[in-house]
Amino acid sequence: MSKKVLVTGGAGYIGSHTVVELVKSGYDPVILDDYRNSDPSVLKRITQIIGYEPTHVVCDVCDQNRLEEIFKTYSISGVIHFAAYKAVGESVENPLKYYSNNIAGLVSVLNVLKQNPKVPFVFSSSCTVYGEPMGLKEVDENTAKSIPTSPYGYTKWLGEQIIGDLFISNNRLRMMSLRYFNPIGAHQSALIGELPVGKPNNLLPFITQTAAGIHEKLVIFGKDYPTVDGTCVRDYIHVVDLAEAHVKAIDHLLSLKNGCHEVVNVGTGKGTSVLELVHAFEEENNMKLNYTFGPKRSGDVIEIYANVDYAHSLLGWKATRDINDGVRDAWKWEKSIRNIQ
Ligand code: UDP
């Protein structure tokens, strides 16, 4: 029988793609979501891709009693925990919203895990834990974490700490924190993708919405950074590659006899500037994008990309898609939700 993997936030951007990849690898995902930041219509779309309606439960991840019931009802064999808020700016304006949901949600899931210590656990962390890496551009898992620049960043920083502390108290638990770099793109079917709530903060959704005519132009924040072309550099990873990394993480944890808390970078290992991403979008989709330069955005890291050696040696995983795939799939997705030919 297929192993059931609970995917909290399974209707969200990375969650929905992970659900699809879990099915492709023979797992039986159980989607847990309360749709506060996603749309239930994603279930129909996932159904179209995988060929059957996935198991789904409406539940607030902070509701520990419900979580306990769900664990029992479905005999859960693994957990991937996505359900959390993720808007950096909003977290500065409303920090308690972030601390109460992201931290309480994680603690609630971990409390249930403590009662089910054989169940492996994967946490969605972020490269935000590195902050502005001192003099480094390429970061590996041993690069020192630094003080986060937002409450959102703190919830990931503290999340890893909480998991580490739990592991010290019970070293039979099998846990992994995946530090994501910048997810982009969408499923090649254009049936699932990112659905930003309100005006997007992230670069590629802003680019695709500008191309779709929703915004007049993209403002590039800063043009005189000490980088290849003066704009900030990030490691953009295709969301399907990222989803595949989660499946490898669950495969790996299930294969272990002993407990662990592994921390693994999930990126491509390659830095791309804002301008390079814009040009890739224009070339790949054969169109011109209206953009201008504006002031720097406060708190922006100048340049960061992943060293991905550990992901490869531990999980046998490597990104196989590049930014051209990402910008093409993101535009295909944007066109499909806007009914653009
Ligand atoms: N960016 C930009 N204009 C936008 C949105 C983002 O120039 O409208 C830049 C931003 O300053 C950063 C890069 O794009 O250098 C990636 O930003 P994003 O918010 O997507 O990711 P993060 O900064 O969290 O890595």
Side-chain angles (χ1 to χ4, degrees):
M1 216 174 68
S2 299
K3 288 197 159 64
K4 293 200 183 331
V5 176
L6 184 68
V7 186
T8 78
Y13 175 42
I14 307 171
S16 57
H17 290 82
T18 300
V19 164
V20 169
E21 295 310 313
L22 282 166
V23 171
K24 261 173 84 178
S25 294
Y27 291 102
D28 187 6
V30 176
I31 297 174
L32 181 149
D33 212 299
D34 63 6
Y35 306 107
R36 75 181 73 181
N37 256 346
S38 57
D39 196 295
S41 64
V42 77
L43 294 171
K44 281 203 197 93
R45 292 164 168 272
I46 293 174
T47 303
Q48 270 181 272
I49 299 172
I50 66 176
Y52 71 93
E53 186 173 301
T55 308
H56 51 96
V57 283
V58 180
C59 176
D60 178 347
V61 79
C62 296
D63 185 345
Q64 197 184 308
N65 293 334
R66 267 309 297 291
L67 276 179
E68 281 169 19
E69 276 169 35
I70 290 163
F71 256 68
K72 284 202 194 95
T73 307
Y74 295 102
S75 307
I76 295 299
S77 301
V79 178
I80 305 179
H81 178 50
F82 293 106
Y85 294 134
K86 60 172 187 179
V88 175
E90 184 192 43
S91 80
V92 175
E93 281 156 31
N94 197 350
L96 297 183
K97 176 174 173 180
Y98 276 68
Y99 287 119
S100 59
N101 187 51
N102 293 12
I103 300 298
L106 172 64
V107 170
S108 147
V109 179
L110 291 177
N111 265 321
V112 182
L113 202 76
K114 216 176 124 184
Q115 298 160 30
N116 298 272
K118 292 201 173 115
V119 174
F121 174 77
V122 177
F123 175 58
S124 45
S125 188
S126 162
C127 67
T128 192
V129 301
Y130 295 115
E132 179 77 67
M134 304 293 270
L136 288 171
K137 293 165 185 168
E138 183 186 275
V139 291
D140 67 26
E141 293 79 357
N142 296 316
T143 303
K145 286 162 79 175
S146 64
I147 301 292
T149 52
S150 70
Y152 161 77
Y154 259 113
T155 65
K156 296 300 174 188
W157 195 100
L158 191 57
E160 286 190 3
Q161 181 70 31
I162 292 168
I163 297 165
D165 289 343
L166 178 63
F167 179 63
I168 291 170
S169 78
N170 181 350
N171 66 10
R172 286 174 306 149
L173 294 169
R174 293 171 292 175
M175 303 184 285
M176 193 178 296
S177 294
L178 296 182
R179 291 181 177 161
Y180 312 158
F181 283 68
N182 290 58
I184 58 166
H187 194 260
Q188 63 272 20
S189 64
L191 284 164
I192 54 172
E194 191 170 8
L195 278 173
V197 179
K199 201 171 173 182
N201 294 305
N202 293 119
L203 180 58
L204 193 51
F206 205 96
I207 290 176
T208 56
Q209 288 195 4
T210 305
I214 294 159
H215 311 291
E216 191 205 334
K217 59 186 171 211
L218 165 76
V219 178
I220 297 179
F221 303 138
K223 63 173 179 182
D224 61 355
Y225 284 106
T227 60
V228 60
D229 56 20
T231 64
C232 292
V233 171
R234 297 286 184 277
D235 186 336
Y236 295 97
I237 172 159
H238 197 290
V239 66
V240 177
D241 279 324
L242 182 53
E244 288 171 355
H246 287 80
V247 179
K248 294 282 188 188
I250 286 287
D251 287 346
H252 175 74
L253 292 174
L254 281 169
S255 75
L256 294 178
K257 292 216 162 44
N258 296 324
C260 63
H261 174 216
E262 294 282 1
V263 175
V264 183
N265 280 347
V266 188
T268 65
K270 190 177 176 305
T272 301
S273 75
V274 176
L275 267 179
E276 285 169 343
L277 195 76
V278 168
H279 292 148
F281 180 86
E282 292 184 322
E283 270 158 42
E284 189 65 33
N285 298 310
N286 208 8
M287 62 197 296
K288 280 273 156 230
L289 190 78
N290 193 14
Y291 68 86
T292 182
F293 291 95
K296 290 177 179 166
R297 183 171 72 176
S298 100
D300 256 346
V301 169
I302 301 170
E303 177 158 4
I304 187 168
Y305 50 89
N307 177 306
V308 288
D309 293 349
Y310 195 50
H312 192 224
S313 63
L314 186 76
L315 306 176
W317 172 90
K318 248 189 189 165
T320 59
R321 296 159 184 89
D322 63 17
I323 56 162
N324 295 320
D325 298 313
V327 295
R328 188 191 58 242
D329 292 338
W331 180 229
K332 198 170 157 195
W333 161 247
E334 186 77 50
K335 283 195 295 186
S336 84
I337 54 174
R338 310 278 170 206
N339 290 319
I340 299 171
Q341 290 310 306

